[in-house]
Amino acid sequence: MFTMRSFAAGIPDPTSASVLGMPLWLWVLIGGVALFGAFQAYYWIGRKLGPRLYATRVGRRISQDGIRKVENAVSRWGALAVYGCFWVPGLRHTLPWAAGVLRVSYPWYVVASALGCLTWVPIASFGLYSLLWGWLKLAAESPLLAGTALLVAAVAVTLFVRHRRNARRAKEEVTVG
């Protein structure tokens, strides 16, 4: 017979998780504060340098087309784009610079970046932590199955990246041709 007590006994205490002897929640808190601080630095560097930012080493790493796309998103959505960039890999550390260059309202920028840190950091941290420890548990029980799962994940990521590159090339050929 299934009882709630037997179910709860199988769930580890979330406050007992630790990394390098420090509780996981403290790592998440420190990571969130550090990311928030980085977002403020990105904004103010972008604001101080203005359009000259794009001539810097950091600015040259982003294509001109990429810069236009980011600027269009910031111009259209403002601080909401700042919140949304947390959920889009690649934009997380490029859009805040453009927000500074375009002088998005700083109070709204602070609110959007704080909300982004408060929502994205815990989900990403605990999600990645769960994925890592789940795989390690699988590896301890069945190394062959864990290796197979890792291989399948690597192939899936490779196929996804290749598909995106091919789609981008095809789109560029249509645009140019």
Side-chain angles (χ1 to χ4, degrees), residues 36 83 86-87 108-122:
F36 180 77
Y83 176 76
F86 279 89
W87 305 96
W108 283 112
Y109 178 86
V110 168
V111 168
S113 57
L115 287 174
C117 287
L118 286 171
T119 55
W120 182 82
V121 170

Side-chain angles (χ1 to χ4, degrees), residues 137-153:
K137 184 175 179 183
L138 179 63
E141 293 173 7
S142 173
L144 181 61
L145 190 56
T148 303
L150 192 59
L151 180 64
V152 167

